[in-house]
Amino acid sequence: MKIRVINGPNINMLGIREVNIYGSENYDTLIASIKDKCLKEGIEVECFQSNHEGRLIDYIQSCYFEKVDGIVINPAGYTHTSVAILDALKAIKIPTVEVHISDVDSREEFRKVSYVSLYALKTIKGEGIKGYLHAIDILKEHYENIQK
């Protein structure tokens, strides 16, 4: 199984920005925990982060040509604004799980809108960086079910 983990703007600032909301674990810890889990599970993983919407869309599209089996995405601030990211995911038709480190439903009203959730198999909110590991489990189970 081959998955990609895609992170949007400011996720690289984990452990620095709004620690009271996003926790004290930094981006390197997030990536290490993802890679460790995937190594143990026999999953090929690549992680990508950008603060630029177009680069995120280019990367999403590349997943199609690389024959990726699943995507974990935290669109971050683009969650609430980017129809283009939604359209890119719909175009490539790869199973996707959306992740948010914080519980976006308990925050500002505008954060309750997620365009990506219109496509995602599931949206995980408020589990901290462990939400990414949960998302990988969901993709793995989905992959195994469609292989049967």
Side-chain angles (χ1 to χ4, degrees):
M1 178 177 189
K2 184 190 304 190
I3 69 166
R4 297 297 180 252
V5 177
I6 304 171
N7 283 295
N10 299 310
I11 301 299
N12 59 311
M13 300 299 286
L14 285 176
I16 298 168
R17 71 181 275 250
E18 299 178 281
V19 175
N20 58 320
I21 295 172
Y22 299 105
S24 60
E25 295 173 297
N26 65 27
Y27 185 70
D28 290 338
T29 300
L30 168 64
I31 299 307
S33 65
I34 291 167
K35 289 183 175 182
D36 183 54
K37 177 175 183 59
C38 289
L39 180 65
K40 289 176 184 170
E41 302 272 345
I43 298 170
E44 180 186 325
V45 67
E46 183 177 288
C47 299
F48 178 79
Q49 187 277 328
S50 180
N51 296 316
H52 305 279
E53 184 178 29
R55 289 193 64 210
L56 293 165
I57 292 165
D58 289 343
Y59 190 81
I60 290 167
Q61 291 176 358
S62 76
C63 292
Y64 174 83
F65 298 104
E66 294 174 14
K67 303 198 181 324
V68 169
D69 299 304
I71 294 172
V72 173
I73 187 168
N74 182 342
Y78 291 130
T79 302
H80 326 291
T81 63
S82 183
V83 174
I85 289 174
L86 168 63
D87 287 347
L89 291 167
K90 287 169 60 177
I92 64 169
K93 299 180 180 125
I94 295 173
T96 300
V97 177
E98 177 183 21
V99 174
H100 297 285
I101 295 167
S102 70
D103 179 7
V104 291
D105 289 337
S106 67
R107 297 183 61 198
E108 302 94 338
E109 198 62 32
F110 73 89
R111 293 190 193 274
K112 296 176 184 175
V113 174
S114 169
Y115 289 107
V116 170
S117 70
L118 299 173
Y119 175 75
L121 294 173
K122 183 165 177 97
T123 299
I124 298 169
K125 307 170 192 175
E127 294 184 15
I129 66 171
K130 289 185 174 111
Y132 289 82
L133 309 182
H134 183 184
I136 291 166
D137 288 337
I138 291 167
L139 285 176
K140 184 178 179 195
E141 182 180 334
H142 179 78
Y143 179 78
E144 289 170 351
N145 286 337
I146 62 173
Q147 295 302 308
K148 291 179 183 177

